[in-house]
Amino acid sequence: LPIEEWKAKKQAELKETIAAQKSVLQEVVQDGQRLADYLYGRGRLGSHITSGNAALVLQTLPQARVVLTSRDWDKFGRRVNKGAKGIPQLVRVNGYYNVGSIFDVSMTYGNKPYLIPEIKPEQMDKAIKELERLSPVNIIFQNEGVIGYDAEQHAIVFPTAMPQHEALARLPAEIVIATAEQHTPGISQA
């Protein structure tokens, strides 16, 4: 393949991936349920992946858990299944953006464990406080009552006995529900 054709092919691939990211992210913010599904999925994937790349992964494979390049999977002693098609991603190499591919753990095999992104216990308070800052309503911990967004109290409610990691896992979706409730009167939580 002549160099000019190769460059044109790579440039078209880059433009196509950028357009796909924009399109998927626009779809994500169309309604509260799509946004909640995206936020849950984004939380599973961890912070090493950009929002646009996460949106492409979750569109292709909604139940994706851990995504890495084939080279990174090799480092964990896992191999990409023969014939597995990678999910296109924008990657930055030497200051330039290129299109690369990543694979979910479900597309790999091997006996060795893989990295599971986790929030450390000492980071829980900070993470919850940051989400509280983003919430359109107060977040209350109390002994009884509704769990989740409560329209009557105009707050997100969790039991005081709920472990922090469970509250943190539910909080993004409850914030989305509260936000949708604020902007669309008449919608209630199912």
Side-chain angles (χ1 to χ4, degrees):
L1 194 64
I3 189 80
E4 292 305 319
E5 283 183 46
W6 179 83
K7 283 182 180 178
K9 181 181 173 186
K10 289 295 180 183
Q11 193 65 21
E13 193 177 65
L14 181 63
K15 286 181 182 178
E16 182 181 309
T17 304
I18 290 170
Q21 279 190 352
K22 286 181 182 178
S23 173
V24 173
L25 285 171
Q26 287 173 343
E27 288 175 22
V28 163
V29 297
Q30 291 302 310
D31 67 56
Q33 186 59 52
R34 283 184 183 169
L35 184 56
D37 292 343
Y38 168 78
L39 290 172
Y40 275 133
R42 179 84 174 90
R44 277 193 320 269
L45 295 176
S47 62
H48 72 284
I49 185 170
T50 66
S51 296
N53 285 340
L56 286 177
V57 167
L58 295 169
Q59 179 190 40
T60 305
L61 193 63
Q63 297 305 315
R65 295 176 302 180
V66 179
V67 289
L68 297 169
T69 65
S70 62
R71 183 177 293 167
D72 288 337
W73 280 121
D74 286 345
K75 292 176 189 175
F76 287 104
R78 297 187 69 81
R79 304 290 177 258
V80 174
N81 297 333
K82 187 174 183 174
K85 187 175 186 307
I87 301 166
Q89 301 287 282
L90 287 181
V91 293
R92 193 170 183 164
V93 179
N94 298 326
Y96 297 98
Y97 285 98
N98 294 311
V99 177
S101 291
I102 59 174
F103 302 85
D104 182 57
V105 66
S106 65
M107 302 169 160
T108 67
Y109 65 93
N111 294 328
K112 294 191 177 179
Y114 56 90
L115 179 67
I116 299 173
E118 285 187 42
I119 295 178
K120 296 177 180 121
E122 61 271 13
Q123 297 172 319
M124 291 285 177
D125 281 337
K126 186 175 180 182
I128 289 173
K129 283 186 184 2
E130 188 60 25
L131 287 173
E132 280 181 301
R133 187 180 66 75
L134 298 172
S135 177
V137 297
N138 290 329
I139 298 168
I140 301 170
F141 289 86
Q142 63 187 31
N143 289 328
E144 332 181 324
V146 174
I147 295 176
Y149 178 68
D150 182 356
E152 288 181 20
Q153 291 189 54
H154 211 57
I156 297 171
V157 182
F158 293 119
T160 53
M162 180 180 273
Q164 279 188 313
H165 69 276
E166 287 181 33
L168 185 59
R170 288 192 60 171
L171 204 45
E174 297 299 338
I175 289 171
V176 169
I177 291 167
T179 302
E181 182 77 18
Q182 300 298 308
H183 298 297
T184 312
I187 292 179
S188 62
Q189 182 180 358

